[in-house]
Amino acid sequence: MATGDADFLAERFEAHRSRLRAVAHRMLGSATEADDAVQEAWVRLSRSEGESAGREIDNMAGWLTTVVGRVCLDMLRSRRSYAEEPLDDWTPAPSCEDPDPARDALLADSVGVALLVVLDTLTPGERLAFVLHDLFGVRYEQVASIVDRTPEAARQLAGRARRRVRGAQEPDVDLARQRKVVDAFLSAARDGDFVKLLAVLDPDVVARSEAGVVAGAAAVTAVASSFAFVGAVVRPALIDGATGLAVLFEGRVERILGFTFVRGGRIAVIDVVADLDRISELEVKLL
């Protein structure tokens, strides 16, 4: 690629970088992964052939959004396996069939941190459809091309996600209460006390790890004993400012449990991270 073409392409890409990063960040919930997705979009654009270094891409914003959307979708699917519900027998509610854009924009802005909690419980397709359409105004036709569905199916995906978001609870940010809940969780997990575990878990709790996702209080309770890590030292810790648990082997943090709490102090999301590279990117302060 000639220098002039490269400079022209870079300028066009940079004009859209901030929006692409915002899309990827909402989609993935991780600044690092968002940067990776945006960088991958640049790589694909710079390697595009037959487009005169992007001069023949009339709608650069749309082209890049589609690429970032597909990259994010692949990343979400690689994190875990979902059993996505079939759409054939789904009947949309009136509010989902004919959404009010102004109302939904206010909804998305007002949910704030709680939105991120709910997004983590959605399937990749639902998450992408909701984020692109409701938060960034991408048309269903474009969303459909990314998720390989029809526009009507893309509308249904967004509608299902929208209903989940409307039911989102506000997060609990009381660190003292978080600490009591985490201590109670660890004690109950070690003792195998299902009743006490259910008392600290939100009914729709989601536990995520490299092995996959477990959803629902009963299912999480059934596997919670594995979080006790027999033979390891488990310490309460602040993980990026939120209360969590650090698992130490021979004095080294080799696993962490991050928690998201809803009002009332119950645990809504449990993230089990064992990847040392990911752990190194987090600020872990033992308590």
Side-chain angles (χ1 to χ4, degrees), residues 83-214:
E84 297 202 38
E85 300 174 19
L87 296 172
D88 299 339
D89 59 352
W90 186 84
T91 303
S95 61
C96 296
E97 186 68 25
D98 187 23
D100 181 339
R103 179 196 63 207
D104 290 330
L106 290 174
L107 167 70
D109 289 340
S110 65
V111 173
V113 176
L115 173 62
L116 296 178
V117 177
V118 180
L119 290 181
D120 282 335
T121 70
L122 303 179
T123 67
E126 290 169 345
R127 183 163 180 158
L128 182 139
F130 176 78
V131 169
L132 288 184
H133 180 268
D134 286 50
L135 304 191
F136 293 94
V138 176
R139 295 172 60 86
Y140 284 123
E141 289 79 6
Q142 188 175 349
V143 174
S145 70
I146 298 173
V147 296
D148 293 324
R149 304 280 186 96
T150 66
E152 181 57 29
R155 180 189 294 271
Q156 292 173 8
L157 286 171
R160 289 203 314 225
R162 193 178 299 119
R163 293 198 303 277
R164 296 285 292 275
V165 171
R166 288 198 179 103
Q169 300 183 58
E170 287 296 321
D172 190 303
V173 294
D174 186 325
L175 290 179
R177 180 160 50 196
Q178 289 179 7
R179 174 67 184 274
K180 290 181 180 179
V181 173
V182 168
D183 287 345
F185 169 84
L186 180 59
S187 176
R190 282 175 164 167
D191 295 340
D193 192 325
F194 293 167
V195 174
K196 289 184 178 179
L197 277 170
L198 288 172
V200 298
L201 297 175
D202 184 78
D204 296 320
V205 62
V206 174
R208 306 178 302 190
S209 69
E210 285 85 350
V213 177
V214 178

Side-chain angles (χ1 to χ4, degrees), residues 18-112:
S18 60
R19 183 178 185 276
L20 295 174
R21 190 177 188 280
V23 169
H25 195 197
R26 281 291 191 178
M27 201 90 67
L28 300 168
S30 164
T32 300
E33 289 185 332
D35 287 336
D36 290 343
V38 173
Q39 182 61 27
E40 177 62 22
W42 163 247
V43 170
R44 295 187 185 188
L45 177 63
S46 62
R47 290 178 178 174
S48 60
E49 296 178 358
E51 294 175 338
S52 300
R55 294 180 189 276
E56 295 182 12
I57 302 177
D58 294 329
N59 183 0
M60 180 64 77
W63 192 92
L64 289 171
T65 299
T66 297
V67 172
V68 167
R70 287 173 176 163
V71 171
C72 289
L73 190 61
D74 289 342
M75 294 172 74
L76 288 171
R77 285 171 172 166
S78 69
R79 285 182 184 174
R80 54 214 181 188
S81 297
Y82 285 94
E84 297 202 38
E85 300 174 19
L87 296 172
D88 299 339
D89 59 352
W90 186 84
T91 303
S95 61
C96 296
E97 186 68 25
D98 187 23
D100 181 339
R103 179 196 63 207
D104 290 330
L106 290 174
L107 167 70
D109 289 340
S110 65
V111 173

